[in-house]
Amino acid sequence: MASQSSSGFRLLGVSADAKNDFEWETVCSCLALAFTSVFLCHFFTCAQSGRAAFLLGLPALSCLGYAAYRKVQSSAVVCALDRGEVLEQADYLYSCAETEKLYQLLVQYKDSNDAEFLWRLARASRDLSLLPNIEAGRKKQLTFEAFEYAKKALEKDDLCSAAHKWYGVCLSDVGDYEGVKVKIGNSYIIRDHLERAIELNPKDATSIHILGYWCFAFAELPWYQRKVAAVIFSSPPESTYEEALAFFLKAEEVDPNFYSKNLLMLGKTYLAMKDKEKALLWLTKTKEYPAHTLEDKEVHKEAVDLLKKLG
């Protein structure tokens, strides 16, 4: 969807002649606002400039297998003897939201050449960075470490579906520290790795969901924000609600009720497509989903608020 640069600047109320004087920082701010509707992690106010800014990111994706296991007690001790047992313990701790224990278990294998250890360590590092008690500097360190582990996992085994998935997710996270232009530019790479992850493992509902989330983000952009993006990118990422819906429905087909956020996104996608009946159906399912995690509770609240608006 090509667009003349001058058109993009006129949409911002700036003449074409003023383009050279138009500060990059302002364009970035516009692009950031354009991409916040669904790829939103945090909101904060820039104290020095007085302007609102956003950090963009993929869904938290924590503890999707919560219901599979009972809660690990805080005194639990991990004692793994071989590769198989370590991986089994790691998966158990992940499903039970024991993020710090999981990280401590897997970080012992940070120098491993085994992709199965490395992608799990990437995921654990990322989950640890998302905990509310993590200091900002540590969060950034963990975010970049997670990306390096995912990158190494992919180098060791490019036929590993999970390595592709977490490489894409972690690449998105790193973009939060590298600017909006880099982050949006990486969107093509992220989609490629998610598609490859699904190709290698068609039964991975989380990869399918994330790809649906990617599509929803770009489908949601109004035309004038696309024009702004076209000032910087000759061909910005594109998608449709129909494409997003297909992925969300496929994820539900592969693993029904696996994730409260997938139910919510089905409701929101049908809303965007002006199908109120189906939106009500999926938002009601979201409302009735057992809220085990903090994310589940946030999703529940959003579903309830949307249902109230729909009357």
Side-chain angles (χ1 to χ4, degrees):
M1 42 189 295
S3 170
Q4 295 296 325
S5 295
S6 58
S7 299
F9 281 94
R10 282 197 295 273
L11 288 166
L12 295 173
V14 179
S15 68
D17 292 336
K19 177 178 177 180
N20 291 334
D21 296 325
F22 196 88
E23 294 183 353
W24 166 249
E25 182 180 6
T26 304
V27 177
C28 281
S29 296
C30 293
L31 286 173
L33 289 171
F35 286 87
T36 54
S37 298
V38 292
F39 274 64
L40 172 61
C41 270
H42 303 285
F43 170 78
F44 65 96
T45 300
C46 297
Q48 293 181 340
S49 64
R51 291 177 292 125
F54 291 86
L55 285 178
L56 315 176
L58 290 169
L61 302 172
S62 297
C63 312
L64 293 178
Y66 181 94
Y69 299 96
R70 64 179 177 82
K71 181 72 177 175
V72 170
Q73 299 300 315
S74 60
S75 60
V77 176
V78 173
C79 182
L81 300 178
D82 58 28
R83 178 183 183 276
E85 290 181 351
V86 173
L87 294 177
E88 183 178 356
Q89 288 283 356
D91 291 343
Y92 181 78
L93 291 171
Y94 174 72
S95 69
C96 299
E98 289 287 350
T99 305
E100 295 188 27
K101 287 188 177 71
L102 175 60
Y103 177 80
Q104 291 302 324
L105 169 66
L106 291 173
V107 77
Q108 301 174 68
Y109 301 91
K110 65 180 181 179
D111 296 321
S112 171
N113 290 320
D114 190 328
E116 293 297 321
F117 284 123
L118 293 168
W119 73 254
R120 285 175 171 82
L121 179 54
R123 182 183 64 181
S125 301
R126 180 181 190 265
D127 284 350
L128 189 59
S129 76
L130 296 174
L131 293 181
N133 62 335
I134 296 296
E135 179 267 331
R138 178 62 172 155
K139 175 183 176 67
K140 181 177 180 179
Q141 178 187 4
L142 286 165
T143 298
F144 279 86
E145 283 183 5
F147 175 70
E148 290 302 319
Y149 295 138
K151 181 181 178 181
K152 186 177 178 182
L154 202 55
E155 291 170 350
K156 298 302 178 184
D157 185 0
D158 65 356
L159 295 180
C160 176
S161 171
H164 282 279
K165 172 171 65 177
W166 291 105
Y167 180 89
V169 172
C170 293
L171 179 60
S172 176
D173 293 340
V174 167
D176 292 340
Y177 296 96
E178 296 183 332
V180 176
K181 183 178 180 181
V182 172
K183 188 170 182 67
I184 298 174
N186 284 342
S187 296
Y188 297 101
I189 302 172
I190 292 167
R191 176 160 189 156
D192 286 346
H193 282 283
L194 291 175
E195 289 177 339
R196 181 59 173 153
I198 295 168
E199 180 184 347
L200 290 167
N201 183 7
K203 296 300 183 180
D204 181 9
T206 62
S207 291
I208 301 170
H209 167 81
I210 300 169
L211 189 50
Y213 209 83
W214 188 102
C215 293
F216 187 96
F218 291 105
E220 196 173 48
L221 290 182
W223 69 270
Y224 62 88
Q225 292 176 341
R226 296 181 188 278
K227 289 285 187 180
V228 174
V231 173
I232 308 303
F233 302 94
S234 59
S235 180
E238 293 181 339
S239 191
T240 64
Y241 290 121
E242 288 77 11
E243 190 175 12
L245 179 65
F247 285 119
F248 293 138
L249 287 173
K250 182 63 177 178
E252 208 60 33
E253 177 188 334
V254 167
D255 192 358
N257 293 316
F258 75 105
Y259 189 26
S260 62
K261 192 64 171 284
N262 197 65
L263 302 177
L264 176 66
M265 293 310 299
L266 278 163
K268 292 177 70 171
T269 305
Y270 277 119
L271 269 182
M273 297 171 66
K274 304 188 185 308
D275 189 333
K276 183 177 178 180
E277 182 179 351
K278 289 183 179 177
L280 284 170
L281 170 66
W282 288 102
L283 290 173
T284 300
K285 287 186 177 184
T286 307
K287 176 185 174 183
E288 295 172 351
Y289 189 93
H292 294 302
T293 69
L294 176 60
E295 184 183 30
D296 288 337
K297 294 175 183 177
E298 293 171 347
V299 164
H300 177 271
K301 181 180 184 304
E302 185 173 355
V304 169
D305 290 342
L306 288 172
L307 285 169
K308 287 179 180 177
K309 291 179 181 179
L310 287 173

